[in-house]
Amino acid sequence: MTVQPRRVLLISATIGEGHNATARAVEEAARRVWPGCEVAWLDALRAMGRWVPATFNWIYVTNVESTPWLYDFFYDSLWRYRWFANASRRFVGVWSGRLLRRAIAAHDPDLIVSTYPLGTAGLDWLRRRGGLDVPVAAVVSDFSPHPFWVYPEVDLHYVMSEASLRAMRRAEPDAVGAVCVPPVVPAFRPADRAAARRSFGLPEAGFTVLISCGSLGFGSVERAADAALRAGVDRVVVICGRNEALRRRFAARADDRIVPLGWVDEMPGLLATADVVVTNAGGATALEALACGRAVVMFEPIAGHGRANAELMADAELAELCPRERDLTATLRRWANEPHELAQREDRALKHSQAADFADQVAALARLPRHHGRRPLRPQDAFFVYATTPAVSQQTGAILLLDGPRLSTHEGCEEVSHRIAQRAPGLPMLTRRLVLRRGRRPQWTHDGDVDADHLRCRELRDGQPAEPVIEEFFSTPVRTDRQPWELLLLNDVETGRVSLLAKMHHALGDGVAVTSTLLRLLADGPQPATSPSADGPPWYRRAGTVLRGLVSLAGAGPAPASHLVGPSTPNRSFADIELPAAEVRASARSHGVSSTAFLLGVVAEALHRTLGDTAPGQRFRVMVPRTARTSRGGAGTGTPGNHTASVSIDLPVGPMPPARRVAEVAAGLAGPDRTGQPAAAGAVLAALGVLPAPLHAWVVRQIYQRRFFNAVVSVLPGQRRPAHVGPLRIAGVVPVLSLADGVGVAVGVIGWGDRFGVGITTDTGLAPKAAALAGRLRDAFADLRGARR
């Protein structure tokens, strides 16, 4: 569906030229994709006061050139002290927002795009005050989005790389973001070097270095030129911008290899003349050079955001970081003598810049939801919004293992894409979009337009392992700027094995809802039915059960000490194993326990072997979600949302015979039901919804963390009958659970067909790699299969 805004408002500022350059790129793209659309500009600094632009420019230049330590201190404080960042943003937001409000009302836009952080702060303030029901986006042209750049009330932030996206989430966990290609006007594109040099009267041959340090021409420009000359390059073109004194100093040099230029209007052509572009801030010049396919060097980056941009560009392999003159000299000499390495740099720049069309990405902004038709999340679902931290995203997922005739990746993608287009709009769980605003209750809004890019497809060739791809997919938080779910079709061309990876924000639903929805979306034939259940007990009996459960929960106390818990890290590993369903059920019968108790016993035995030297009687507390879905008196499998009540079980992990361990686990599993823990846990989750949103969030973070349990273990109901996706049979399902804050292990189990799929997630900063735990689970099952009580 094409969306055509009538009026677009760009909010920028003249402090240097980088923010205006980004706004010009947005304007050109908007005029291409929305013919006839009115595009207006608003200078945020001018709106804040006539004296503000000159004052802020003076402060900026003074800090960079004379007091870089002060700028570094301010920048580091934004990252180090959350209270300082919030106070600074709030102050600027009130100042900017109050003065922007009238100007925005006069323009009456259908879409607002900000390219300047202080303008974005004002938009965030206005949105918090209940204004701005139009979509609001920000284009963050710095590679490192600092806390002043990103805000929770903005509908979408476009950032420059995947590394930038991770930095954005550290700066503001509630911010919504996506990666865009460099936001530059179309004139910045690859061009022939020789032709470009002829047009500027430069010799066609020779190694040319172009130095550009922004419109103000400050920083280590002269040291950069000296370092380049020592490298033996043939030519150094220096763009001095509005720094006329700098241009005169270069012009006075008696070295014909230096070509000094002042303000330049033909920057695309000049960039095309260069073999290497040297800059120091990572702003517009770096983005324009990447778009032209030129290798970029960050030399002696300016303080604060310049240094952060340079480091992030280097991490993304989009620039070479040279903090000293000798580093720059060595790099330029190496690239001049090894053109293949320079060609690799240029190829990487082009791939990054041409990954998408910026005009298409601007067009997508018109499809951002307007702020109406919202409703609050149930407390049980909001729980997982509040439990999310920068290091621990709350998403639940699954891997569907598909068997059948070999299909090309294109055929597999077409099969799944067709089902998404046909079925997703009719599935409530897949048409919900999260609306997250700091200090407010999270809300759902309905969005029936399901984009095809919810599905990605990838091939594995030449023995490429699937594990790194799976790890990357499940380690990356699901996007919340659209319906928060994603699919990845993984096709191993050599073996013919096809896997479908799925992840969803945990607020959408529990593991049962995820599996059921995936079947409704993909599978042919009859859909899963809800298991029948009797009506619940009368209210007075439920009240008594809840009271007993509350007493039991209160008496449980903190979790036992364990080295598998601690401060969370972003490092994740995933592994899975399959256990024969017939042997699991037979082994459970031989031990005289349920299949769930037997599988928990296997997990307990594996944890015993993982923990190493354990003391007799040592316990390990696991949080076990228990489904509350029924056909009567509860939610069915097709109902979105979380309908689980978690119980805590102390698994015996000290030395003991494996058969005895299973018996103790079975006895411990019955305890929470006797004491009413599931009913009490459900009642507590529901009651939290009456608290103000900030207090609700604080309580959730206090209770859903390592203080109260050591791991998450879930045994989900599955199904035994086969299901098909076109010609492919769903041969197995592996659940992928999220961790909790400070908890290093999560294990999910589901019975599917003739096997149980076991998925393991670990935080490798706290626990061993998931593959190691998977091996111990397999060994524990083999031993317990042969053991008898």
Side-chain angles (χ1 to χ4, degrees), residues 21 184-190 266-269 271 284 287-292:
V184 299
V185 297
F188 291 99
R189 60 182 182 271
E266 290 298 323
M267 195 66 181
L271 286 171
L287 296 173
E288 292 162 356
L290 292 175
C292 292

PDB file of all heavy atoms in Angstrom, residues 21 184-190 266-269 271 284 287-292:
ATOM      1  N   ALA A  21      23.493  18.327   5.562  1.00  0.00           N
ATOM      2  CA  ALA A  21      23.750  17.412   4.444  1.00  0.00           C
ATOM      3  C   ALA A  21      22.842  16.194   4.529  1.00  0.00           C
ATOM      4  O   ALA A  21      22.289  15.731   3.517  1.00  0.00           O
ATOM      5  CB  ALA A  21      25.217  16.981   4.445  1.00  0.00           C
ATOM      6  N   VAL A 184      22.998  10.136   1.995  1.00  0.00           N
ATOM      7  CA  VAL A 184      23.665  11.159   1.185  1.00  0.00           C
ATOM      8  C   VAL A 184      22.851  11.373  -0.084  1.00  0.00           C
ATOM      9  O   VAL A 184      22.063  10.513  -0.494  1.00  0.00           O
ATOM     10  CB  VAL A 184      25.105  10.746   0.827  1.00  0.00           C
ATOM     11  CG1 VAL A 184      25.937  10.568   2.093  1.00  0.00           C
ATOM     12  CG2 VAL A 184      25.128   9.458   0.008  1.00  0.00           C
ATOM     13  N   VAL A 185      23.037  12.518  -0.723  1.00  0.00           N
ATOM     14  CA  VAL A 185      22.318  12.798  -1.964  1.00  0.00           C
ATOM     15  C   VAL A 185      22.847  11.881  -3.064  1.00  0.00           C
ATOM     16  O   VAL A 185      23.993  11.404  -3.008  1.00  0.00           O
ATOM     17  CB  VAL A 185      22.467  14.279  -2.367  1.00  0.00           C
ATOM     18  CG1 VAL A 185      21.838  15.176  -1.316  1.00  0.00           C
ATOM     19  CG2 VAL A 185      23.930  14.646  -2.578  1.00  0.00           C
ATOM     20  N   PRO A 186      22.033  11.599  -4.109  1.00  0.00           N
ATOM     21  CA  PRO A 186      22.431  10.632  -5.135  1.00  0.00           C
ATOM     22  C   PRO A 186      23.713  10.983  -5.883  1.00  0.00           C
ATOM     23  O   PRO A 186      24.329  10.099  -6.500  1.00  0.00           O
ATOM     24  CB  PRO A 186      21.228  10.621  -6.096  1.00  0.00           C
ATOM     25  CG  PRO A 186      20.078  11.072  -5.267  1.00  0.00           C
ATOM     26  CD  PRO A 186      20.644  12.057  -4.292  1.00  0.00           C
ATOM     27  N   ALA A 187      24.134  12.270  -5.844  1.00  0.00           N
ATOM     28  CA  ALA A 187      25.367  12.641  -6.547  1.00  0.00           C
ATOM     29  C   ALA A 187      26.581  11.914  -5.994  1.00  0.00           C
ATOM     30  O   ALA A 187      27.585  11.729  -6.707  1.00  0.00           O
ATOM     31  CB  ALA A 187      25.576  14.156  -6.446  1.00  0.00           C
ATOM     32  N   PHE A 188      26.512  11.487  -4.726  1.00  0.00           N
ATOM     33  CA  PHE A 188      27.628  10.732  -4.135  1.00  0.00           C
ATOM     34  C   PHE A 188      27.462   9.264  -4.517  1.00  0.00           C
ATOM     35  O   PHE A 188      26.703   8.518  -3.905  1.00  0.00           O
ATOM     36  CB  PHE A 188      27.652  10.908  -2.616  1.00  0.00           C
ATOM     37  CG  PHE A 188      28.033  12.287  -2.186  1.00  0.00           C
ATOM     38  CD1 PHE A 188      27.060  13.208  -1.823  1.00  0.00           C
ATOM     39  CD2 PHE A 188      29.355  12.685  -2.159  1.00  0.00           C
ATOM     40  CE1 PHE A 188      27.401  14.491  -1.424  1.00  0.00           C
ATOM     41  CE2 PHE A 188      29.714  13.968  -1.765  1.00  0.00           C
ATOM     42  CZ  PHE A 188      28.730  14.881  -1.401  1.00  0.00           C
ATOM     43  N   ARG A 189      28.164   8.885  -5.559  1.00  0.00           N
ATOM     44  CA  ARG A 189      28.096   7.521  -6.078  1.00  0.00           C
ATOM     45  C   ARG A 189      29.430   7.184  -6.718  1.00  0.00           C
ATOM     46  O   ARG A 189      30.236   8.089  -7.021  1.00  0.00           O
ATOM     47  CB  ARG A 189      26.961   7.387  -7.092  1.00  0.00           C
ATOM     48  CG  ARG A 189      27.087   8.279  -8.294  1.00  0.00           C
ATOM     49  CD  ARG A 189      25.890   8.112  -9.230  1.00  0.00           C
ATOM     50  NE  ARG A 189      26.029   8.939 -10.430  1.00  0.00           N
ATOM     51  CZ  ARG A 189      25.612  10.193 -10.528  1.00  0.00           C
ATOM     52  NH1 ARG A 189      25.048  10.766  -9.479  1.00  0.00           N
ATOM     53  NH2 ARG A 189      25.770  10.870 -11.643  1.00  0.00           N
ATOM     54  N   PRO A 190      29.715   5.915  -6.952  1.00  0.00           N
ATOM     55  CA  PRO A 190      30.997   5.543  -7.563  1.00  0.00           C
ATOM     56  C   PRO A 190      31.172   6.216  -8.927  1.00  0.00           C
ATOM     57  O   PRO A 190      30.219   6.339  -9.700  1.00  0.00           O
ATOM     58  CB  PRO A 190      30.886   4.024  -7.706  1.00  0.00           C
ATOM     59  CG  PRO A 190      29.876   3.617  -6.696  1.00  0.00           C
ATOM     60  CD  PRO A 190      28.903   4.746  -6.606  1.00  0.00           C
ATOM     61  N   GLU A 266      31.591  21.054  -5.313  1.00  0.00           N
ATOM     62  CA  GLU A 266      31.598  19.824  -6.103  1.00  0.00           C
ATOM     63  C   GLU A 266      32.260  18.683  -5.325  1.00  0.00           C
ATOM     64  O   GLU A 266      33.197  18.044  -5.809  1.00  0.00           O
ATOM     65  CB  GLU A 266      32.335  20.058  -7.427  1.00  0.00           C
ATOM     66  CG  GLU A 266      31.590  20.957  -8.390  1.00  0.00           C
ATOM     67  CD  GLU A 266      30.251  20.366  -8.806  1.00  0.00           C
ATOM     68  OE1 GLU A 266      30.191  19.130  -8.969  1.00  0.00           O
ATOM     69  OE2 GLU A 266      29.285  21.118  -8.945  1.00  0.00           O
ATOM     70  N   MET A 267      31.775  18.460  -4.112  1.00  0.00           N
ATOM     71  CA  MET A 267      32.379  17.425  -3.277  1.00  0.00           C
ATOM     72  C   MET A 267      32.264  16.022  -3.882  1.00  0.00           C
ATOM     73  O   MET A 267      33.201  15.228  -3.780  1.00  0.00           O
ATOM     74  CB  MET A 267      31.738  17.465  -1.886  1.00  0.00           C
ATOM     75  CG  MET A 267      32.522  16.706  -0.839  1.00  0.00           C
ATOM     76  SD  MET A 267      34.119  17.469  -0.524  1.00  0.00           S
ATOM     77  CE  MET A 267      34.782  16.342   0.705  1.00  0.00           C
ATOM     78  N   PRO A 268      31.151  15.635  -4.520  1.00  0.00           N
ATOM     79  CA  PRO A 268      31.095  14.283  -5.111  1.00  0.00           C
ATOM     80  C   PRO A 268      32.214  14.037  -6.117  1.00  0.00           C
ATOM     81  O   PRO A 268      32.846  12.978  -6.122  1.00  0.00           O
ATOM     82  CB  PRO A 268      29.718  14.245  -5.781  1.00  0.00           C
ATOM     83  CG  PRO A 268      28.905  15.227  -5.015  1.00  0.00           C
ATOM     84  CD  PRO A 268      29.849  16.322  -4.653  1.00  0.00           C
ATOM     85  N   GLY A 269      32.474  15.035  -6.979  1.00  0.00           N
ATOM     86  CA  GLY A 269      33.539  14.871  -7.958  1.00  0.00           C
ATOM     87  C   GLY A 269      34.909  14.798  -7.319  1.00  0.00           C
ATOM     88  O   GLY A 269      35.772  14.019  -7.737  1.00  0.00           O
ATOM     89  N   LEU A 271      35.655  13.707  -4.263  1.00  0.00           N
ATOM     90  CA  LEU A 271      35.825  12.395  -3.631  1.00  0.00           C
ATOM     91  C   LEU A 271      36.174  11.333  -4.661  1.00  0.00           C
ATOM     92  O   LEU A 271      36.936  10.410  -4.384  1.00  0.00           O
ATOM     93  CB  LEU A 271      34.553  12.004  -2.880  1.00  0.00           C
ATOM     94  CG  LEU A 271      34.285  12.748  -1.566  1.00  0.00           C
ATOM     95  CD1 LEU A 271      32.895  12.422  -1.037  1.00  0.00           C
ATOM     96  CD2 LEU A 271      35.329  12.378  -0.514  1.00  0.00           C
ATOM     97  N   ALA A 284      29.483  13.491   8.018  1.00  0.00           N
ATOM     98  CA  ALA A 284      29.036  13.517   6.630  1.00  0.00           C
ATOM     99  C   ALA A 284      30.139  13.131   5.654  1.00  0.00           C
ATOM    100  O   ALA A 284      29.894  12.397   4.682  1.00  0.00           O
ATOM    101  CB  ALA A 284      28.492  14.906   6.290  1.00  0.00           C
ATOM    102  N   LEU A 287      30.521   9.382   5.481  1.00  0.00           N
ATOM    103  CA  LEU A 287      29.371   8.756   4.816  1.00  0.00           C
ATOM    104  C   LEU A 287      29.425   8.983   3.313  1.00  0.00           C
ATOM    105  O   LEU A 287      29.145   8.072   2.517  1.00  0.00           O
ATOM    106  CB  LEU A 287      28.075   9.332   5.387  1.00  0.00           C
ATOM    107  CG  LEU A 287      27.807   9.047   6.866  1.00  0.00           C
ATOM    108  CD1 LEU A 287      26.583   9.828   7.341  1.00  0.00           C
ATOM    109  CD2 LEU A 287      27.607   7.564   7.115  1.00  0.00           C
ATOM    110  N   GLU A 288      29.792  10.199   2.896  1.00  0.00           N
ATOM    111  CA  GLU A 288      29.874  10.498   1.467  1.00  0.00           C
ATOM    112  C   GLU A 288      30.979   9.700   0.796  1.00  0.00           C
ATOM    113  O   GLU A 288      30.818   9.212  -0.329  1.00  0.00           O
ATOM    114  CB  GLU A 288      30.085  11.998   1.280  1.00  0.00           C
ATOM    115  CG  GLU A 288      28.871  12.825   1.699  1.00  0.00           C
ATOM    116  CD  GLU A 288      29.186  14.294   1.928  1.00  0.00           C
ATOM    117  OE1 GLU A 288      30.380  14.674   1.832  1.00  0.00           O
ATOM    118  OE2 GLU A 288      28.247  15.065   2.216  1.00  0.00           O
ATOM    119  N   ALA A 289      32.108   9.536   1.500  1.00  0.00           N
ATOM    120  CA  ALA A 289      33.206   8.746   0.936  1.00  0.00           C
ATOM    121  C   ALA A 289      32.808   7.277   0.775  1.00  0.00           C
ATOM    122  O   ALA A 289      33.114   6.646  -0.240  1.00  0.00           O
ATOM    123  CB  ALA A 289      34.437   8.869   1.832  1.00  0.00           C
ATOM    124  N   LEU A 290      32.115   6.721   1.772  1.00  0.00           N
ATOM    125  CA  LEU A 290      31.658   5.339   1.664  1.00  0.00           C
ATOM    126  C   LEU A 290      30.702   5.178   0.483  1.00  0.00           C
ATOM    127  O   LEU A 290      30.771   4.193  -0.260  1.00  0.00           O
ATOM    128  CB  LEU A 290      30.971   4.905   2.955  1.00  0.00           C
ATOM    129  CG  LEU A 290      31.847   4.758   4.203  1.00  0.00           C
ATOM    130  CD1 LEU A 290      30.985   4.453   5.418  1.00  0.00           C
ATOM    131  CD2 LEU A 290      32.888   3.653   4.008  1.00  0.00           C
ATOM    132  N   ALA A 291      29.793   6.135   0.314  1.00  0.00           N
ATOM    133  CA  ALA A 291      28.837   6.058  -0.787  1.00  0.00           C
ATOM    134  C   ALA A 291      29.532   6.114  -2.142  1.00  0.00           C
ATOM    135  O   ALA A 291      29.031   5.561  -3.127  1.00  0.00           O
ATOM    136  CB  ALA A 291      27.818   7.186  -0.675  1.00  0.00           C
ATOM    137  N   CYS A 292      30.690   6.782  -2.195  1.00  0.00           N
ATOM    138  CA  CYS A 292      31.463   6.851  -3.435  1.00  0.00           C
ATOM    139  C   CYS A 292      32.381   5.646  -3.604  1.00  0.00           C
ATOM    140  O   CYS A 292      33.118   5.567  -4.606  1.00  0.00           O
ATOM    141  CB  CYS A 292      32.286   8.133  -3.471  1.00  0.00           C
ATOM    142  SG  CYS A 292      31.281   9.636  -3.632  1.00  0.00           S
TER     143      CYS A 292
END
